[in-house]
Amino acid sequence: AEALFAALGRALPHEGVLLVGRPGCAPALHPDTTESGDTPATRNRARCRRAVRRAHELLAAERDVHTVLLAARGAYQVTGTPFGRERGLPILPIAHDSTHPDTAALAARWEGGMARTIAQLRRDGRRVIVVVDWPELGFDPRGCIAGRPLGLRPVRSPCGVDRAVVDRRSAAYRAAVARLVARFPGVTTYDAAAPLCDAHRCTALVGDTLLYHDDDHLSLAGADRVFAPLAASLAVRPLVARR
């Protein structure tokens, strides 16, 4: 969401762009339930429920907000599993404490929470766009440029992930998004993977410019590349006075 916010802010200097969210929390509205046990996972789920409720309260007060874009690390949140060689990922609000999460339950919980969010936003008269997440890398993209003779390791090439791997990783997540869009007429999607992928590969490097700054988050250049088409579609044309 921060990458999206930064890119739209630069591309739409005459529009108000607001970032509302909490790191590691999907924009999914869940009932405020009491869970047994005091673990990092249960505490984080409670924090995320509070954060999403506050986000809806803020948007309810900001009546001039006409469009809401929902961004989340969907493939991870739906499957509950990291990708590639990632380590030290935070425990997400929908993840189980087990090392073998129930993917079907996670997907259903994610989809249900997103449905509540979309329903509330639509009741408030907001246009809703679900941003379909860009591919995870599962490796440090700096390895694509920092190699011999300046470093002690070879340069990673090609700098990206096979498209077939990306498609398998995101299949359950994309299916959930498709069901949400079918359920709520008027809700649209923006595929943030499209500017990074062709039929064979999703890239993290164009020329000598890195499009990611870590295994998942876009760099400033990457965010601009990914969201330029979206910014163009959101630009508000000035009204023309008619006699």
Side-chain angles (χ1 to χ4, degrees), residues 5 7 31 33 39 70 86-87 89 95 97 106 113 121 135 159 163 177 187 194 207 222 243:
F5 169 71
T33 58
T39 67
L70 302 176
E86 297 163 333
R87 295 292 184 270
L89 290 170
D97 295 324
L106 288 177
L121 294 172
C159 185
R163 180 62 186 264
V177 171
V187 172
R243 293 182 180 272

Side-chain angles (χ1 to χ4, degrees), residues 2-236:
E2 289 181 1
L4 171 64
F5 169 71
L8 293 185
R10 286 189 295 275
L12 301 172
H14 303 298
E15 294 292 325
V17 182
L18 175 68
L19 172 65
V20 183
R22 179 186 176 90
C25 296
L29 188 61
H30 295 294
D32 191 10
T33 58
T34 301
E35 298 185 75
S36 61
D38 183 18
T39 67
T42 58
R43 289 195 296 271
N44 201 44
R45 283 193 287 267
R47 284 193 293 267
C48 285
R49 285 194 296 268
R50 291 193 298 269
V52 175
R53 283 202 309 274
R54 287 196 295 267
H56 279 279
E57 291 167 0
L58 173 62
L59 289 173
E62 296 287 341
R63 300 308 307 170
D64 57 338
V65 173
H66 55 77
T67 301
V68 177
L69 299 102
L70 302 176
R73 189 174 177 180
Y76 179 35
Q77 293 170 351
V78 166
T79 64
T81 58
F83 180 68
R85 297 182 178 180
E86 297 163 333
R87 295 292 184 270
L89 290 170
I91 298 175
L92 294 178
I94 56 174
H96 292 181
D97 295 324
S98 169
T99 57
H100 302 285
D102 183 342
T103 298
L106 288 177
R109 179 176 172 81
W110 186 89
E111 187 175 340
M114 292 293 287
R116 293 184 190 92
T117 285
I118 292 171
Q120 182 61 58
L121 294 172
R122 295 294 287 165
R123 283 194 295 270
D124 291 342
R126 314 304 168 97
R127 176 190 179 192
V128 177
I129 302 174
V130 179
V131 178
V132 182
D133 198 26
W134 51 89
E136 301 154 300
L137 295 180
F139 63 84
D140 186 345
R142 293 175 296 178
C144 299
I145 58 173
R148 294 178 179 144
L150 300 178
L152 300 177
R153 59 188 177 189
V155 173
R156 185 186 184 99
S157 182
C159 185
V161 184
D162 288 347
R163 180 62 186 264
V165 173
V166 171
D167 289 345
R168 286 196 299 271
R169 167 71 171 170
S170 61
Y173 159 59
R174 285 178 172 265
V177 171
R179 289 191 295 270
L180 287 169
V181 173
R183 180 175 172 181
F184 295 96
V187 172
T188 58
T189 62
Y190 178 76
D191 189 348
L196 300 174
C197 302
D198 59 22
H200 307 289
R201 183 169 298 276
C202 297
T203 188
L205 182 70
V206 173
D208 59 357
T209 300
L210 282 176
L211 305 180
Y212 288 72
H213 77 79
D214 63 14
D215 58 271
D216 173 65
H217 297 92
L218 295 172
S219 66
L220 294 178
D224 289 340
R225 178 185 180 90
V226 167
F227 294 116
L230 176 61
S233 73
L234 293 175
V236 177

